[in-house]
Amino acid sequence: MDKKEIITRCIEDKKDLFIDISNKIWGYAELGFLEFKSSEAICSVLEKEGFEVKKGLAGIETAFVGSFGSGYPVIAVLGEYDALSGLSQKGASHIKKEERKGGNGHGCGHNLLGAGSLAAAVAVKEYINEKEIKGTIRYYGCPGEENGAGKTFMTREGCFKDVDIALCWHPGDVTCVWGIGTLANLSSYFRFTGTAAHAAAAPHLGRSALDSVELMNVGVNYLREHIIPEARIHYAITDPGGSAPNVVQNQAEVYYYIRAPKVYQAQEIYERICNVAKGAALMTGTEYEAVFSQGLSDYIPNKTVGEVLYKNLIEAGAPDFDKNERELAGRFRETLKQPDIKNAMNQVRLLEGSTAAEKMETKVLYDFIGSFGHQKGTIPGSTDIGDVSYVVPTAQIIVTCSSFGTALHTWQFTAQASSIIGHRGMLTAGKAMGMAAVDILLNPEIVVAAKKELKEKTHGEYICPIPDNVMPETAKAGS
Ligand SMILES: [Zn+2]
């Protein structure tokens, strides 16, 4: 039996298991670094399948690796399983309804991501067993992607140092190879401490920390004009210092994201923002402290590995959605607004060019495979796969798991991540990645070419954007 037959047969035979794991993780909906039940669900399958599982990687309880086979090359399939806060939604329902009041939800489809990557790893194991070939397949359980930078911490601690190739995927509303970079991202808290006072009786005795936050934000908004246009800065006031207007706030905190195409550019802007904070503290007579939270490197898509994924995605075929899946997608489409569709069209133009965009004028599901090789530039988001991509040649695919125009981090995506549409996409992703991994195991010259490409792009340099003394914190928002 050939590669396609073995991988497809294995995933089809065990599809109920993978769907069950995906649905379980969807139901647990655990936030970053708290994915105890989700990681356990995946580990137990890996153990049953004969993988050697090591838990607690990089000092993170929910990070793990399952390994099968021996020797070179070592192929890693990356899995995620963290949810987002505040996105609880009834599964597969096209009517907006919270499943648990104020609960979490899988609005980024990481339940599908984790289980789809698991399907790929298990199928590759089957191939290694059946064909008795040399080589290692590893499943990396990567927690805390949403604002957690789990893979960055894992990269910093050397978890991927002997990996030859890394493969991943992400659920989306299109099917293609992710051939475009992302922005580096540094995040930091700015904490101000002042002096409390009665705001009417003795304001002259008060030093307002909230004033410092406001002045800092004004300063940063002026700074925007004088930084590179590709950069992005955003903030949230995480502590306004209380809710009483008649008290001068003696503490306040603002949380910043600073994004730029390269880490060093984000670092330069970060330094300038620290100076703005210092200025705000001087103006108000308060003290300030910058508390670095986390960092993500930009993503470097490896073209050599991307081509292997593209070839195998074509061989596996785009998700073949049936009548029920198409009808359900149609119902979700009706919940979307015109700007959602327009935005999705723009994304397709950026990723795939105008031919694909034209096709989508009349379709509800992106049921074909976008072209590959022409993409340039970056998309203005960030991912912790960026750090992996600096130390291991890395490529990813996106596979349709939702009605076209459904944005990530929405209730509609949460719902579809537990639906037959999501499951169909997940199984396709598992097959394409599994087949690509087999190609690499059988043709180690791909590893040589991919590593050469990576070295040309990075000159062999990687500096982790998270300082050694900064440890992971539980998730609050999304990346
Ligand atoms: Zn995601």
Side-chain angles (χ1 to χ4, degrees):
M1 273 208 285
D2 75 352
K3 164 192 83 180
K4 186 177 175 180
E5 275 179 84
I6 294 176
I7 298 292
T8 308
R9 185 205 59 203
C10 172
I11 292 180
E12 283 299 319
D13 283 356
K14 294 183 174 168
K15 77 174 179 192
D16 290 346
L17 170 71
F18 301 128
I19 290 172
D20 181 54
I21 293 292
S22 170
N23 285 344
K24 274 192 176 130
I25 297 173
W26 187 91
Y28 299 147
E30 296 168 298
L31 296 181
F33 303 125
L34 300 171
E35 316 95 329
F36 302 110
K37 287 190 253 175
S38 307
S39 57
E40 205 40 56
I42 297 173
C43 284
S44 70
V45 173
L46 288 170
E47 277 160 356
K48 269 187 213 124
E49 292 288 339
F51 283 71
E52 194 187 315
V53 176
K54 216 170 107 190
K55 298 174 189 174
L57 299 189
I60 305 168
E61 245 181 293
T62 52
F64 62 90
V65 61
S67 191
F68 186 89
S70 61
Y72 173 86
V74 178
I75 317 283
V77 184
L78 311 179
E80 298 169 9
Y81 30 79
D82 57 331
L84 289 153
S85 58
L87 272 177
S88 174
Q89 161 65 24
K90 207 167 170 293
S93 168
H94 64 286
I95 297 161
K96 188 174 188 291
K97 193 171 187 300
E98 268 186 328
E99 176 139 294
R100 280 187 302 267
K101 194 151 177 46
N104 312 320
H106 270 288
C108 211
H110 291 182
N111 60 309
L112 298 167
L113 202 170
S117 293
L118 177 68
V122 168
V124 176
K125 177 223 91 174
E126 203 92 347
Y127 187 94
I128 292 175
N129 241 353
E130 213 166 306
K131 296 284 184 181
E132 295 177 355
I133 59 162
K134 204 169 74 65
T136 308
I137 182 75
R138 286 189 194 158
Y139 179 100
Y140 275 89
C142 305
E145 193 278 333
E146 302 287 359
N147 196 43
K151 294 183 205 66
T152 313
F153 287 105
M154 290 168 77
T155 307
R156 186 182 75 179
E157 301 308 313
C159 297
F160 304 104
K161 67 176 188 299
D162 60 342
V163 172
D164 293 306
I165 299 285
L167 304 175
C168 195
W169 78 289
H170 202 290
D173 64 346
V174 297
T175 300
C176 63
V177 173
W178 183 335
I180 199 161
T182 59
L183 298 177
N185 185 5
L186 303 179
S187 59
S188 182
Y189 295 93
F190 292 88
R191 288 180 190 150
F192 293 88
T193 313
T195 308
H198 193 293
H204 54 288
L205 298 179
R207 298 290 179 268
S208 171
L210 181 59
D211 285 358
S212 313
V213 164
E214 293 195 86
L215 286 165
M216 177 184 172
N217 293 345
V218 170
V220 171
N221 287 331
Y222 274 95
L223 178 72
R224 284 181 201 282
E225 194 187 345
H226 307 289
I227 57 173
I228 50 171
E230 300 85 359
R232 297 279 188 278
I233 308 173
H234 14 269
Y235 57 80
I237 297 176
T238 37
D239 178 9
S243 56
N246 59 348
V247 177
V248 173
Q249 293 83 0
N250 72 342
Q251 83 208 21
E253 182 189 83
V254 60
Y255 187 34
Y256 268 82
Y257 275 18
I258 302 132
R259 304 189 206 239
K262 294 285 166 195
V263 171
Y264 78 90
Q265 293 167 319
Q267 278 165 340
E268 278 171 15
I269 297 167
Y270 177 60
E271 292 297 314
R272 293 170 73 190
I273 289 179
C274 285
N275 281 333
V276 173
K278 203 165 150 188
L282 272 174
M283 280 191 278
T284 52
T286 58
E287 304 277 327
Y288 102 96
E289 188 191 6
V291 182
F292 191 90
S293 168
Q294 54 190 257
L296 307 168
S297 295
D298 53 295
Y299 172 58
I300 306 174
N302 191 286
K303 212 169 171 185
T304 310
V305 186
E307 270 159 16
V308 179
L309 270 177
Y310 181 58
K311 211 179 88 204
N312 283 286
L313 185 55
I314 288 178
E315 212 175 323
D320 186 15
F321 295 105
D322 66 20
K323 196 170 153 280
N324 290 338
E325 290 153 0
R326 286 175 189 281
E327 271 174 20
L328 182 61
R331 286 199 285 277
F332 277 103
R333 172 67 171 245
E334 282 165 23
T335 71
L336 303 177
K337 298 195 170 68
Q338 218 32 50
D340 299 323
I341 309 294
K342 229 175 172 172
N343 186 51
M345 283 291 188
N346 288 339
Q347 290 284 342
V348 168
R349 262 181 218 107
L350 181 73
L351 278 164
E352 305 301 327
S354 50
T355 324
E358 268 165 38
K359 273 196 213 176
M360 289 316 295
E361 297 280 353
T362 52
K363 282 176 179 281
V364 169
L365 281 163
Y366 194 107
D367 57 359
F368 55 96
I369 295 163
S371 55
F372 172 66
H374 60 278
Q375 296 103 328
K376 278 194 182 78
T378 53
I379 48 166
S382 311
T383 165
D384 60 4
I385 296 183
D387 292 87
V388 182
S389 78
Y390 264 82
V391 297
V392 182
T394 303
Q396 312 180 65
I397 49 176
I398 305 173
V399 180
T400 304
C401 289
S402 72
S403 161
F404 183 68
T406 309
L408 297 174
H409 299 197
T410 58
W411 69 266
Q412 289 100 328
F413 207 93
T414 307
Q416 289 170 88
S418 78
S419 78
I420 46 178
I421 309 168
H423 298 149
R424 176 78 68 190
M426 172 184 87
L427 297 171
T428 299
K431 288 171 195 167
M433 286 193 297
M435 284 158 57
V438 169
D439 265 0
I440 299 163
L441 287 173
L442 298 177
N443 302 283
E445 65 275 13
I446 295 170
V447 178
V448 177
K451 285 189 174 174
K452 187 169 171 274
E453 181 192 329
L454 180 60
K455 202 159 182 199
E456 278 164 12
K457 286 177 170 166
T458 64
H459 310 291
E461 278 172 24
Y462 169 68
I463 299 166
C464 183
I466 305 181
D468 284 348
N469 60 343
V470 176
M471 299 312 287
E473 56 178 315
T474 49
K476 285 181 185 151
S479 60

